[in-house]
């Protein structure tokens, strides 16, 4: 999430500066807000009041204190600059009717339903309890329960797959509130600072991450298989060792039965030679 994975790719692909990227994000964010406000005025048959643009809610500025320097073309951005959030809807297991739509809670998919309350791919984040801060990416339409928060919209300068990775890297659970009953609020999400490269580099990062992740999973499978084979081989060696197969057998060697009889005889002889310890009698005058 800091550019090391795609350093070689970035060296060959010219990109705009991080400052230019952030400026464009802020301009586009404001333009969308203004277009939405104008659409509301038109729907209500109202003329926009004077200075209505001054009511624009400026997003949280990223606090970059103690954050590392980013590569050229990257920028630190607050989550509020890129996403809008909403809470899911209550749906107990008893009310779920099996259907085509996955049901997402704080611990991921926990059932299916015949209706959806989100009609697009989105980021789902566990809101409360031990699963708060968990991050999931829905593939398409889904039902999100009230145990989770989801992105109602995103800026087109961040892709859903990269958003999943960067939000996981943010370790949102570490910033939760509530003590014994931790929770994540929309404010906590909005204040979170993430590293943002160009859309093209986001795609490259996701591709290289998946290759590296799959390679790591294959390595783990090979290690598990090697451990299983090692354990089985150890049992084979032990079995061979105690069945006389590990070393060549010499017919002139003393049979084990004779050796056992000799050991028994020597033990009996030691017991016979061993003097019994008697009790001392105390002399009386």
């Amino acid at each position: 999430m800091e550019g090391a994975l795609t350093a070689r790719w970035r060296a060959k692909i010219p990109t705009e500066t991080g400052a230019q990227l952030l400026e464009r994000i802020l301009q586009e964010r404001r333009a969308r807000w203004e277009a939405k406000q104008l659409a509301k005025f038109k729907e209500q048959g109202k003329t926009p009041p004077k200075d209505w643009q001054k009511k624009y809610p400026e997003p949280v500025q990223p606090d970059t204190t103690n954050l590392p320097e980013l590569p050229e073309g990257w920028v630190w951005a607050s989550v509020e600059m890129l996403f809008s959030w909403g809470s899911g809807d209550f749906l107990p297991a008893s009310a779920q009717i099996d259907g085509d739509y996955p049901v997402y809670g704080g611990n991921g998919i926990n059932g299916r339903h015949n209706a959806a309350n989100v009609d697009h791919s989105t980021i789902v984040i566990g809101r409360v309890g031990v699963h708060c801060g968990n991050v999931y990416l829905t593939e398409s339409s889904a039902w999100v329960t009230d145990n989770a928060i989801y992105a109602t919209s995103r800026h087109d300068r961040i892709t859903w797959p990269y958003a999943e990775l960067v939000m996981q890297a943010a370790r949102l659970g570490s910033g939760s509130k509530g003590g014994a009953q931790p929770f994540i609020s929309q404010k906590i999400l909005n204040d979170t600072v993430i590293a943002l490269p160009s859309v093209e580099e986001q795609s490259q990062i996701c591709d290289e991450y998946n290759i590296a992740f799959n390679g790591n999973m294959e390595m783990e499978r090979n290690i598990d298989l090697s451990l299983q084979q090692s354990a089985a081989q150890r049992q084979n060696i032990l079995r061979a060792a105690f069945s006389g197969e590990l070393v060549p057998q010499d017919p002139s060697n003393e049979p084990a039965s004779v050796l056992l009889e000799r050991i028994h005889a020597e033990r009996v002889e030691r017991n016979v030679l061993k003097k019994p310890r008697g009790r001392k009698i105390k002399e009386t005058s």
Side-chain angles (χ1 to χ4, degrees), residues 6-109:
T6 48
R8 293 183 179 180
W9 177 90
R10 189 170 53 255
K12 301 176 182 178
I13 308 296
T15 59
E16 62 185 344
T17 66
Q20 291 171 335
L21 175 61
L22 182 59
E23 180 63 25
R24 189 144 55 93
I25 288 172
L26 293 176
Q27 289 177 353
E28 292 171 356
R29 185 182 188 278
R30 185 181 185 101
R32 282 199 304 274
W33 177 85
E34 291 182 354
K36 187 176 181 180
Q37 295 303 113
L38 289 174
K40 285 184 179 179
F41 291 137
K42 183 177 181 179
E43 182 181 350
Q44 296 170 357
K46 297 179 180 179
T47 301
K50 184 180 179 180
D51 298 332
W52 64 274
Q53 288 132 320
K54 292 183 178 180
K55 295 184 179 180
Y56 171 67
E58 294 286 350
V60 175
Q61 295 299 307
D63 181 4
T64 59
T65 306
N66 299 324
L67 292 179
E69 184 178 353
L70 292 174
E72 183 68 18
W74 288 53
V75 67
W76 291 112
S78 69
V79 166
E80 188 178 16
M81 293 176 175
L82 302 166
F83 297 97
S84 297
W85 302 98
S87 296
D89 299 312
F90 179 62
L91 181 66
S94 59
Q96 292 181 19
I97 302 174
D98 189 40
D100 296 331
Y101 304 102
V103 177
Y104 280 85
N107 60 341
I109 297 176

Side-chain angles (χ1 to χ4, degrees), residues 18-279:
Q20 291 171 335
L21 175 61
L22 182 59
E23 180 63 25
R24 189 144 55 93
I25 288 172
L26 293 176
Q27 289 177 353
E28 292 171 356
R29 185 182 188 278
R30 185 181 185 101
R32 282 199 304 274
W33 177 85
E34 291 182 354
K36 187 176 181 180
Q37 295 303 113
L38 289 174
K40 285 184 179 179
F41 291 137
K42 183 177 181 179
E43 182 181 350
Q44 296 170 357
K46 297 179 180 179
T47 301
K50 184 180 179 180
D51 298 332
W52 64 274
Q53 288 132 320
K54 292 183 178 180
K55 295 184 179 180
Y56 171 67
E58 294 286 350
V60 175
Q61 295 299 307
D63 181 4
T64 59
T65 306
N66 299 324
L67 292 179
E69 184 178 353
L70 292 174
E72 183 68 18
W74 288 53
V75 67
W76 291 112
S78 69
V79 166
E80 188 178 16
M81 293 176 175
L82 302 166
F83 297 97
S84 297
W85 302 98
S87 296
D89 299 312
F90 179 62
L91 181 66
S94 59
Q96 292 181 19
I97 302 174
D98 189 40
D100 296 331
Y101 304 102
V103 177
Y104 280 85
N107 60 341
I109 297 176
N110 55 25
R112 305 193 71 82
H113 195 43
N114 66 346
N117 58 357
V118 181
D119 61 0
H120 55 79
S121 293
T122 189
I123 293 295
V124 176
I125 297 174
R127 183 183 65 82
V128 64
V130 295
H131 301 295
C132 78
N134 289 357
V135 180
Y136 308 95
L137 174 62
T138 68
E139 294 184 359
S140 56
S141 301
W143 186 285
V144 181
T145 73
D146 58 345
N147 287 326
I149 298 172
Y150 70 96
T152 56
S153 65
R154 65 170 172 84
H155 196 284
D156 57 10
R157 296 299 165 189
I158 186 169
T159 65
W160 286 123
Y162 180 78
E164 179 188 24
L165 288 184
V166 77
M167 295 298 278
Q168 287 175 345
R171 299 179 180 178
L172 298 171
S174 63
S176 63
K177 306 293 184 181
Q181 183 70 355
F183 67 90
I184 292 287
S185 66
Q186 293 187 30
K187 183 181 186 308
I188 291 173
L189 290 178
N190 287 333
D191 290 347
T192 301
V193 178
I194 60 175
L196 188 69
S198 66
V199 172
E200 295 77 14
E201 191 163 359
Q202 291 174 38
S203 297
Q204 185 68 20
I205 287 171
C206 291
D207 289 344
E208 297 198 20
Y209 172 84
N210 288 330
I211 291 172
F213 181 80
N214 291 334
N216 186 64
M217 293 296 292
E218 181 65 24
M219 186 183 302
E220 288 186 359
R221 285 192 291 268
N222 291 336
I223 291 173
D224 288 340
L225 178 60
S226 295
L227 290 173
Q228 293 173 14
Q229 291 174 337
S230 176
Q233 184 64 10
R234 182 176 185 273
Q235 292 302 315
N236 290 336
I237 292 172
L238 289 173
R239 186 163 46 250
F242 291 101
S243 61
E245 300 174 8
L246 198 61
V247 295
Q249 299 300 302
D250 187 348
S252 64
N253 286 341
E254 180 183 47
S257 58
V258 175
L259 173 62
L260 184 60
E261 290 177 2
R262 183 155 51 84
I263 292 172
H264 177 68
E266 291 174 353
R267 178 177 294 177
V268 170
E269 184 179 357
R270 284 198 304 270
N271 290 337
V272 170
L273 296 176
K274 190 175 181 182
K275 294 181 179 180
R277 296 179 62 184
R279 294 176 57 187

Side-chain angles (χ1 to χ4, degrees), residues 279-285:
R279 294 176 57 187
K280 290 184 178 180
I281 300 175
K282 184 177 180 181
E283 294 182 0
T284 58
S285 57

